Amino acid sequence: MAATNGYCVTTNSISNGRNVNCQESHAYLHNESADEDHLKSKTGASDNNRTRKRKSKQAKKNQDSNLDGDVSGKSTNSANNCPKHGTHMPQGFWGRNLPGWCFEPEYFMKEKLEKRPHEIHQNADSLFSTSSGFTNYRGLLNLCLILLVLSNARLFLENIMKYGILIDPISWLHLFIKDPYNWPNIIVLLSTNVFILFAFAIEKLHARDILSERVGTVFKSLNIILLLVYPATVVYILHTSPVFSVNTLGCVTITFLKLISYHCVNRWCRESLKAQPRKTARSKTLTSEEEAAKQAKMVAANERLIGKQVSYPDNLNLKDMYYFMLAPTLCYELNFPRSARIRKRFLLKRIIEILFLWQLMLGLIQQWVIPTLNNAMQPLDQMNLFKVLERLLKLAVPNHFIWLIFFYWFFHSFLNALAEILRFGDRVFYHDWWNAETVSDFWKNWNIPVHRWASRHLYKPMLRQGFSKFTSSVVVFFVSAFFHEYLLSIPLRMFKVWAFTAMLGQIPLALMTGKYMDGKTGNIIVWLSLILGQPVAILAYVHDYYIINFGTLTNQTITIG
């Protein structure tokens, strides 16, 4: 075995960039130490025999280390570091059922200690190798974006050539005006004020000790249950347009969640006041006039900086109640963070985005989604699986575009505009869900208001009651599944529980991505579930809606206006 240019060359120890086996580790490390001493002697470095013996002993201690180019000085157990039983072996299912070589780390070449004149070769990995450390793929990302734009531009031109211009913004307004049964949606939305005022009255009675907690809980429960049942009954009986009914029930659901948070926080305030020891008049201390004036100045300065802080029961007024009902949050607090002023230019940008993206979504639905669904009627009626799969993939592209636009429109443009008008300071409405490596991470990051509500009023209270994390998470998914089905089945007047089943299907998918998938694979699974899951649900609801209401899919078309 010979040393060349600062690293060991042998066909037995290194082959095609893979790790040597455990028996050859000692030879590699011994020669590596010798090569370093040899190079140091060439450059004039003086090392005595004692230093060389110390390095040799150190290398022997590390003879079973992983050959990843970074030889540690700490001694480790060879049973935990060889390629078959090393620390890189994953625990769990894959580690028990796959051979050790599947998990061997890539070999990292050792850098040369010096560069000789006129040399053009040195130890280096190819840029696409993970061991190269190269991460600047911006040009390839630009290429992918260009190809994505060109391919979808071709699809859009093909759609226009085949169907013509189908975009008609006036038809959506005509859809609402022509049907008198759409007007009850407005009445239902206005009637939610009755439930809001009733909840406010109950809290006022609690604050004055007129109503006990037990009786108040009964009234509050009846109030929020009726809030869900009454609008659903009106929508179901009058058979209002599903397009507007979904939005109406969505607003009702938001009010329902907000009232629960409002009642919970006020109850916590009452319990906190009862837990505090009552101070007698003698326990109060007198302060001098100078100290009182200083405290008054400090309070005034704090109020100018962060606003006047409200304490219970001073928060029980209609202004505070309706501010919370309009604020872009589902979790109630006595003192919300407030911005210093309304930024007019920022607000104008958000309003322009709201108007433009809203029309863009409606146009994409008319021009792209509805023709695709109409073309899917016959394959769905005949249950031609290959044609249904082709329509599914064709529907996935515009549907996902609309979903991404809706996310930006609602969570960024609309909620930021609303927060700016109300000077609501907390603008964290989403995290980087697009980087989610598990399904659980996606649901935690893509809708922060709902996640905060579920964590504060459902998940953590169940943990405090002794339930396990898994049970609490399953209950959260069940509640989410109920509201997804509530928003779809009632406006469509059919109960096929596709949305409910899809949400419950997130539980095993979350377990699979969290336990068996690594980062990149898990992120791919999350994106595939988003891209393909939604069009599957759309086709399922379209099929069942027309079968239930018309008995067949033959010669059926979807129209707007």
Side-chain angles (χ1 to χ4, degrees):
M1 183 179 298
T4 304
N5 292 335
Y7 67 99
C8 181
V9 178
T10 173
T11 56
N12 294 328
S13 60
I14 303 175
S15 176
N16 297 327
R18 297 187 180 184
N19 287 354
V20 298
N21 55 29
C22 294
Q23 289 77 12
E24 294 171 338
S25 299
H26 172 64
Y28 175 83
L29 292 168
H30 178 74
N31 281 277
E32 183 182 29
S33 178
D35 292 341
E36 291 178 357
D37 293 340
H38 180 63
L39 286 172
K40 285 182 179 180
S41 65
K42 279 189 175 184
T43 57
S46 60
D47 271 341
N48 53 28
N49 293 332
R50 183 179 302 173
T51 304
R52 291 181 180 178
K53 288 181 180 180
R54 179 176 53 81
K55 289 185 177 181
S56 178
K57 289 181 180 180
Q58 191 69 30
K60 287 181 180 180
K61 289 181 180 180
N62 300 327
Q63 62 181 353
D64 293 320
S65 299
N66 290 331
L67 302 182
D68 57 357
D70 182 18
V71 181
S72 174
K74 298 179 181 180
S75 61
T76 53
N77 187 0
S78 61
N80 295 327
N81 291 285
C82 69
K84 187 175 182 180
H85 305 286
T87 55
H88 51 265
M89 282 289 292
Q91 301 296 325
F93 176 81
W94 301 116
R96 293 192 302 268
N97 293 278
L98 292 179
W101 58 265
C102 295
F103 309 102
E104 292 179 3
E106 293 187 6
Y107 176 73
F108 289 81
M109 292 187 179
K110 183 175 177 60
E111 291 188 19
K112 294 169 62 175
L113 298 180
E114 65 174 346
K115 185 175 181 180
R116 297 176 180 177
H118 310 297
E119 283 187 347
I120 61 173
H121 296 290
Q122 59 182 352
N123 300 337
D125 288 321
S126 299
L127 294 185
F128 285 136
S129 300
T130 56
S131 56
S132 69
F134 183 80
T135 57
N136 187 7
Y137 298 103
R138 184 178 300 174
L140 294 178
L141 178 61
N142 292 336
L143 173 63
C144 293
L145 292 175
I146 291 172
L147 293 176
L148 181 64
V149 171
L150 292 178
S151 60
N152 286 283
R154 185 199 67 81
L155 292 175
F156 191 74
L157 289 175
E158 180 184 6
N159 179 276
I160 293 178
M161 293 171 61
K162 186 175 182 180
Y163 302 108
I165 302 296
L166 302 177
I167 299 175
D168 184 11
I170 305 300
S171 61
W172 292 97
L173 182 62
H174 183 257
L175 175 65
F176 181 80
I177 295 176
K178 74 171 186 178
D179 192 349
Y181 287 111
N182 288 322
W183 293 100
N185 287 299
I186 298 178
I187 299 175
V188 167
L189 287 177
L190 294 176
S191 64
T192 56
N193 288 283
V194 176
F195 301 95
I196 294 173
L197 293 174
F198 186 79
F200 172 75
I202 292 176
E203 292 300 332
K204 291 289 286 186
L205 294 176
H206 278 311
R208 297 175 182 176
D209 290 331
I210 298 176
L211 194 65
S212 66
E213 289 290 341
R214 181 174 297 180
V215 177
T217 301
V218 174
F219 282 116
K220 287 181 284 189
S221 300
L222 291 175
N223 184 51
I224 60 176
I225 291 174
L226 286 176
L227 175 61
L228 284 182
V229 174
Y230 160 70
T233 304
V234 173
V235 169
Y236 186 84
I237 293 177
L238 297 182
H239 195 23
T240 59
S241 173
V243 177
F244 302 105
S245 298
V246 169
N247 296 309
T248 300
L249 295 183
C251 294
V252 169
T253 302
I254 291 173
T255 305
F256 171 84
L257 298 177
K258 287 192 174 192
L259 288 182
I260 290 179
S261 182
Y262 185 76
H263 288 309
C264 287
V265 172
N266 282 296
R267 178 172 57 84
W268 295 339
C269 290
R270 288 191 296 273
E271 292 175 352
S272 178
L273 288 176
K274 292 179 181 178
Q276 292 179 0
R278 295 184 177 180
K279 297 182 180 180
T280 61
R282 292 183 179 181
S283 64
K284 295 180 181 179
T285 58
L286 297 177
T287 59
S288 63
E289 294 181 359
E290 294 181 358
E291 292 178 350
K294 188 182 294 184
Q295 290 180 0
K297 290 182 180 180
M298 292 177 60
V299 171
N302 290 331
E303 288 182 358
R304 285 196 300 269
L305 290 174
I306 61 177
K308 185 177 180 181
Q309 297 297 292
V310 178
S311 59
Y312 185 85
D314 296 334
N315 64 306
L316 297 178
N317 55 76
L318 291 178
K319 180 180 178 181
D320 179 88
M321 181 73 171
Y322 276 96
Y323 180 87
F324 172 56
M325 288 294 120
L326 295 175
T329 180
L330 299 177
C331 294
Y332 177 69
E333 289 182 356
L334 273 67
N335 297 283
F336 289 108
R338 305 292 292 272
S339 57
R341 61 183 179 85
I342 297 177
R343 297 169 293 176
K344 296 179 181 179
R345 187 171 63 177
F346 178 86
L347 179 60
L348 181 61
K349 290 180 180 179
R350 302 289 83 79
I351 293 175
I352 293 174
E353 288 176 353
I354 290 171
L355 297 176
F356 172 75
L357 294 178
W358 177 252
Q359 291 299 321
L360 180 60
M361 285 188 291
L362 297 181
L364 288 175
I365 291 173
Q366 288 179 306
Q367 186 68 44
W368 209 342
V369 173
I370 292 178
T372 303
L373 290 176
N374 288 333
N375 290 335
M377 292 293 186
Q378 184 176 358
L380 285 173
D381 188 39
Q382 299 174 353
M383 282 300 168
N384 189 326
L385 296 181
F386 288 102
K387 287 187 177 181
V388 170
L389 179 61
E390 186 268 337
R391 298 301 174 188
L392 172 68
L393 297 176
K394 193 172 183 179
L395 178 63
V397 175
N399 174 78
H400 196 64
F401 278 161
I402 294 171
W403 183 80
L404 291 175
I405 295 171
F406 172 78
F407 165 78
Y408 186 89
W409 176 84
F410 183 75
F411 287 98
H412 186 75
S413 301
F414 179 76
L415 292 184
N416 266 294
L418 184 60
E420 195 67 27
I421 294 172
L422 297 174
R423 292 176 52 207
F424 186 81
D426 188 358
R427 308 295 175 88
V428 182
F429 306 121
Y430 54 90
H431 288 313
D432 58 336
W433 55 266
W434 46 88
N435 294 324
E437 298 178 353
T438 64
V439 173
S440 299
D441 289 341
F442 167 78
W443 289 110
K444 291 176 183 177
N445 294 322
W446 103 278
N447 190 339
I448 295 302
V450 170
H451 171 67
R452 286 174 174 172
W453 186 94
S455 176
R456 185 194 200 189
H457 298 292
L458 193 58
Y459 182 79
K460 290 181 179 178
M462 290 189 65
L463 292 181
R464 288 193 290 267
Q465 294 296 323
F467 292 94
S468 65
K469 291 183 178 180
F470 176 77
T471 303
S472 303
S473 299
V474 170
V475 171
V476 171
F477 273 106
F478 261 96
V479 174
S480 179
F482 166 78
F483 281 108
H484 277 77
E485 193 65 36
Y486 175 82
L487 295 176
L488 290 176
S489 291
I490 294 175
L492 296 176
R493 300 184 71 193
M494 63 180 190
F495 301 94
K496 294 295 183 179
V497 297
W498 294 117
F500 187 85
T501 305
M503 282 303 302
L504 291 187
Q506 300 292 303
I507 298 174
L509 190 59
L511 293 175
M512 182 184 70
T513 55
K515 192 173 183 181
Y516 302 120
M517 301 294 177
D518 59 7
K520 293 181 180 179
T521 307
N523 185 255
I524 292 173
I525 295 297
V526 170
W527 278 112
L528 286 177
S529 66
L530 294 174
I531 295 172
L532 299 179
Q534 295 175 8
V536 169
I538 291 173
L539 291 179
Y541 275 106
V542 168
H543 173 272
D544 292 343
Y545 180 81
Y546 279 93
I547 290 296
I548 292 175
N549 291 278
F550 302 98
T552 181
L553 293 173
T554 305
N555 299 325
Q556 298 295 334
T557 57
I558 302 173
T559 58
I560 300 295

